[in-house]
Amino acid sequence: MKETFRTKLRGFLGTDHTKKILDQNIETQSMLLLQGLMPANSYLPYTIWGMLPRTIVHILNDIVVNKRINIIEFGSGMSTYFIAKLIQTNGLDIKFISVDSNIDWINHQRSTLEKEGLTSVELIHAPLK
């Protein structure tokens, strides 16, 4: 019986290391898929609070495959940019609203989106109380 690469890798590195390598590979592949939507003139901050690239790819796939027409996002970030870019790039007719509690972050997002010519998203400030 043929051993798969994954099985050989587990035997060589152990399960924890194998999972880390495979997870990194998935994130690398996801970033490659997102590369065509990356900003030309801006930096997108990536923090521990942000979605993983594979999650963003999953959301973008869902928008296209299921022909979403309304999107409400709670918490603005990299996903906001990528969804807005997907809408623009593909000429999609989608109502997109992103809600965030931090007005400084919303202003930063607005500036980034405007710099990239992405006008399909409505940013809403909703302070937490």
Side-chain angles (χ1 to χ4, degrees), residues 88-112:
Q88 179 195 57
T89 302
N90 292 288
L92 302 175
D93 185 22
I94 294 175
K95 173 102 171 133
F96 178 29
I97 298 170
S98 183
V99 180
D100 204 283
S101 63
N102 184 327
I103 191 66
D104 294 330
W105 182 247
I106 284 181
N107 290 333
H108 171 78
Q109 286 290 87
R110 186 172 284 120
S111 173
T112 300

Side-chain angles (χ1 to χ4, degrees), residues 64-119:
V64 172
V65 170
N66 294 303
K67 299 178 176 131
R68 303 295 182 195
I69 57 172
N70 295 299
I71 300 168
I72 300 175
E73 170 188 59
F74 293 96
S76 181
M78 285 180 65
S79 58
T80 309
Y81 172 85
F82 283 113
I83 293 169
K85 186 70 174 186
L86 178 79
I87 291 169
Q88 179 195 57
T89 302
N90 292 288
L92 302 175
D93 185 22
I94 294 175
K95 173 102 171 133
F96 178 29
I97 298 170
S98 183
V99 180
D100 204 283
S101 63
N102 184 327
I103 191 66
D104 294 330
W105 182 247
I106 284 181
N107 290 333
H108 171 78
Q109 286 290 87
R110 186 172 284 120
S111 173
T112 300
L113 293 166
E114 286 173 359
K115 191 184 298 183
E116 294 292 323
L118 302 174
T119 58

Side-chain angles (χ1 to χ4, degrees), residues 6-100:
R6 194 175 288 205
T7 305
K8 287 180 182 178
L9 194 59
R10 278 191 192 120
F12 181 70
L13 296 173
T15 304
D16 290 341
H17 292 296
T18 302
K19 183 174 176 355
K20 286 179 187 176
I21 289 170
L22 293 173
D23 283 348
Q24 288 172 349
N25 189 29
I26 290 169
E27 295 310 324
T28 301
Q29 290 173 0
S30 297
M31 287 303 291
L32 289 172
L33 288 171
L34 294 171
Q35 193 169 12
L37 299 174
M38 290 289 198
N41 303 311
S42 304
Y43 170 74
L44 295 176
Y46 184 71
T47 68
I48 61 168
W49 299 103
M51 286 186 185
L52 293 171
R54 71 174 129 186
T55 306
I56 295 172
V57 168
H58 177 78
I59 290 168
L60 298 180
N61 287 343
D62 179 78
I63 291 168
V64 172
V65 170
N66 294 303
K67 299 178 176 131
R68 303 295 182 195
I69 57 172
N70 295 299
I71 300 168
I72 300 175
E73 170 188 59
F74 293 96
S76 181
M78 285 180 65
S79 58
T80 309
Y81 172 85
F82 283 113
I83 293 169
K85 186 70 174 186
L86 178 79
I87 291 169
Q88 179 195 57
T89 302
N90 292 288
L92 302 175
D93 185 22
I94 294 175
K95 173 102 171 133
F96 178 29
I97 298 170
S98 183
V99 180
D100 204 283

